[in-house]
Amino acid sequence: MSIIAMKFGGTSVGSPERIINAASKAVREAERGHQVVVTVSAMSGETDRLLKLADAIDPAGSPRERDMLAVAGEQASIALMAMACEKLGRPAVSYNAAQINMRTDAAFTKAKILSIDDTKIRKAFDEGRIVVIAGFQGVTGEGEITTLGRGGSDTTAVALAAALKADRCDIYTDVDGVYAADPRIVPNAKKIPALSYEEMLEMASSGAKVLHTRSVQFAAKYNVPLQVLSSFEDKPGTMITEEVQAMEDVVVSAITHNTKEAKVTLIGTSDVPGTAAKLFSYLAEKNINVDMIVQNVGENGLADISFTVEKTDLPYIQKNEQALMSSINAKRVVYGTKIAKISAVGVGMKAHSGVASRMFNALAAKGVNILMISTSEIKISCVIHEDYTELAVRALCDEFGLASE
Ligand code: ADP
Ligand code: ASP
Ligand code: MG
C-alpha cells in the first residue's frame, strides 16, 4: 500500500475549524486507499507565545527548559487533529516524539534527527488508522526532550516520509506554493511550478521560511518528492524533486531575505595563525552556527573579524563575550542587530556570468549600502541594513524579471 506523508503548519491548524479542514484532507487521502501519516505544528502563534514567556523570565535561560516549554504547542494540536479525523469517520491515533522514539542529538533548540522507530506507526497503519505525529520535537537517548529549531515540523514530516519510504510528502501551508520571493513582501512575485532540491535548499538556507532547511536536505538525501501546497485552496502547488528541466534563460530563480541574523565584529584580534580556528571552534563547541564570515586585511599585527549568527544565539554570545574576546585577544566587540541578508538564487548562475554585478548595481541604484558579501555556485548574498529589506527584494525581483507586471 502506498504511504503519503502530510504536514500542516501553524496557520493550517490555527482554529478548530481549520483543524477539521486539515483532517478532511488526511481523511480524503485515506479514502483513496493510502496509508497516511500527518505531522502537525502548534496552532499559529502558540510557539511564539510560549517562547515569549521564557524570554520574559530570561532570554539566555536554559535551552533544555526552553525546549521543554516549546513542545507543548504541538502536544495540543496532535490530539485535536486525531480527534478531528475520528469525528470525520476515520480511526486515528496521535503520538508525540518520545512515543515513536524520534531520536535526536542533544543540541537543545536545534537538535538533529538521528533515527525513528516506525513500529508503532506501522502497527497503527495495519489497524487502518491515520497516524498523527507532533512536529518540531525529538527525544535524546537519555530521554531528554529536544526541538529541531523554529519551523522544524517540516523536517519531522520529511524524516517520517523518508523512514517510511512514503511516495510523497505534501507540505500544506498558507501559500499555494513556492514563489520567486516572499509573497508577503512582493505580492506579485511569480509562482515557481517546479524546483530542484539544490535550488530549494539554497532558498531555504538563505531565508525562504516556507520550508525548514533540514527538511530539504532530508528530502534530497532520501529522494522524497516534496510538494508545497495550500491548505485553503484545492490547486497544484510547487513540486520539489531531484531533476527539474532548467529553463535556459532563467538566470535567477528567486530572491530571498533573512532578518533573523545578527552580526558580531571582533575588533583588534591577533593577526596570527590559529585565531580564526580558535574563535570558530569555540562557537562550534557551543553549537552556534556561523553563516557569513569576513576578515579584513590585518594591519600592525591586528585584524577585525565579522561573522553572522542566528539572533537567538546572541544572548549567549553577549553573556560570554569576555571569554570570546580573550580567546583571541580581541580589543572590542560590536554587535549589529539591524541587518538583513538578501540573496539571489538560481542554477542558471552556473552558466551565466555577470549576475553579481547586476545585483550590486540594482542595489546601488536604490541607494542600498552592502555590508558583507558571500557567494556559492548558485547563490549570491549581500548583508544590508534591515530598513532596506523590502526595497532591496523588490528591486532585485524587478531586475531579474521575477514579478509579474
Ligand atoms: P507554516 O506555519 O505552514 O509552516 P510558514 O510561515 O513557516 O508556514 O511558511 C509559509 C510562509 O513562508 C508564507 O506565508 C510566506 O510568507 C513565507 N515565504 C517566504 N519566502 C517564501 C517564498 N519564496 N515562497 C512562498 N512563501 C514564502
Ligand atoms: N511550532 C514550531 C514553530 O513555530 C515548529 C513549526 O511550526 O514548524 O517554529
Ligand atoms: Mg513553517
Side-chain angles (χ1 to χ4, degrees):
M1 232 170 151
S2 56
I3 297 175
I4 303 289
M6 308 171 83
K7 179 255 171 178
F8 293 94
T11 320
S12 310
V13 294
S15 65
E17 295 72 29
R18 287 184 173 184
I19 292 175
I20 289 173
N21 170 61
S24 71
K25 292 184 187 297
V27 167
R28 185 175 65 187
E29 293 295 359
E31 280 167 358
R32 285 177 182 153
H34 303 298
Q35 292 178 322
V36 181
V37 59
V38 185
T39 299
V40 284
S41 292
M43 295 169 82
S44 56
E46 183 60 9
T47 311
D48 285 342
R49 187 186 73 83
L50 294 168
L51 291 176
K52 259 192 211 127
L53 294 172
D55 287 343
I57 291 179
D58 180 5
S62 154
R64 178 191 185 274
E65 303 307 337
R66 287 179 82 84
D67 278 358
M68 186 64 97
L69 176 68
V71 296
E74 273 73 10
Q75 179 81 30
S77 39
I78 50 169
L80 295 169
M81 177 63 86
M83 286 176 202
C85 292
E86 299 219 314
K87 175 83 183 162
L88 295 174
R90 203 80 204 182
V93 60
S94 66
Y95 291 124
N96 67 18
Q99 288 174 301
I100 56 158
N101 211 352
M102 171 77 75
R103 191 69 74 86
T104 69
D105 61 19
F108 294 109
T109 77
K110 51 185 113 170
K112 289 202 172 72
I113 296 176
L114 303 174
S115 60
I116 300 173
D117 178 359
D118 64 2
T119 321
K120 276 207 172 86
I121 301 176
R122 299 232 181 243
K123 183 162 177 290
F125 280 165
D126 290 342
E127 293 163 2
R129 293 179 197 276
I130 292 174
V131 181
V132 185
I133 303 288
F136 177 54
Q137 52 181 256
V139 63
T140 69
E142 280 71 48
E144 295 287 326
I145 303 293
T146 56
T147 69
L148 311 177
R150 297 305 306 270
S153 296
D154 300 329
T155 299
T156 307
V158 179
L160 283 165
L164 296 165
K165 302 197 170 47
D167 289 39
R168 211 178 62 237
C169 183
D170 288 340
I171 308 284
Y172 286 89
T173 183
D174 56 6
V175 275
D176 63 6
V178 179
Y179 281 76
D182 186 344
R184 281 180 211 215
I185 290 197
V186 185
N188 58 340
K190 290 181 181 164
K191 183 169 161 181
I192 308 175
L195 267 168
S196 63
Y197 294 127
E198 190 188 16
E199 271 180 309
M200 190 63 233
L201 188 58
E202 290 283 15
M203 283 182 69
S205 66
S206 62
K209 75 159 190 161
V210 63
L211 284 176
H212 194 236
T213 305
R214 270 209 305 286
S215 72
V216 189
Q217 284 168 343
F218 260 110
K221 184 166 175 195
Y222 297 101
N223 218 342
V224 179
L226 272 184
Q227 181 176 201
V228 174
L229 70 175
S230 168
S231 285
F232 309 115
E233 285 171 277
D234 246 337
K235 59 175 170 180
T238 296
M239 284 303 306
I240 301 144
T241 52
E242 179 75 62
E243 278 302 325
V244 171
Q245 198 66 41
M247 281 181 287
E248 287 276 299
D249 52 338
V250 179
V251 184
V252 170
S253 309
I255 304 297
T256 62
H257 68 282
N258 182 357
T259 51
K260 296 215 161 74
E261 290 185 357
K263 184 156 76 98
V264 180
T265 304
L266 289 157
I267 298 171
T269 67
S270 322
D271 190 16
V272 293
T275 300
K278 258 190 228 156
L279 172 62
F280 295 110
S281 304
Y282 176 91
L283 296 170
E285 269 165 31
K286 310 291 180 232
N287 275 315
I288 294 175
N289 297 323
V290 173
D291 181 15
M292 289 166 104
I293 302 173
V294 172
Q295 176 170 351
N296 70 350
V297 180
E299 251 183 74
N300 309 323
L302 300 177
D304 302 340
I305 301 180
S306 293
F307 56 91
T308 60
V309 293
E310 292 281 325
K311 269 183 190 154
T312 47
D313 284 325
L314 211 53
Y316 181 87
I317 291 181
Q318 287 172 322
K319 198 171 165 183
N320 296 284
E321 65 178 25
Q322 284 309 329
L324 192 67
M325 284 197 291
S326 58
S327 70
I328 54 164
N329 296 323
K331 306 270 175 296
R332 274 190 312 130
V333 57
V334 179
Y335 302 103
T337 50
K338 291 210 72 184
I339 61 161
K341 184 176 72 173
I342 310 293
S343 309
V345 177
V347 282
M349 281 183 209
K350 287 182 186 171
H352 294 80
S353 57
V355 182
S357 71
R358 278 176 72 186
M359 181 170 182
F360 303 153
N361 277 312
L363 294 175
K366 297 286 179 192
V368 178
N369 194 29
I370 299 172
L371 309 174
M372 291 168 108
I373 297 171
S374 80
T375 60
S376 78
E377 202 181 15
I378 65 161
K379 183 178 74 183
I380 303 165
S381 303
C382 299
V383 171
I384 62 169
H385 193 281
E386 189 179 353
D387 289 353
Y388 295 112
T389 309
E390 299 198 14
L391 180 71
V393 174
R394 289 209 190 98
L396 295 174
C397 280
D398 288 343
E399 173 64 30
F400 294 105
L402 300 176
S404 44
E405 297 303 315

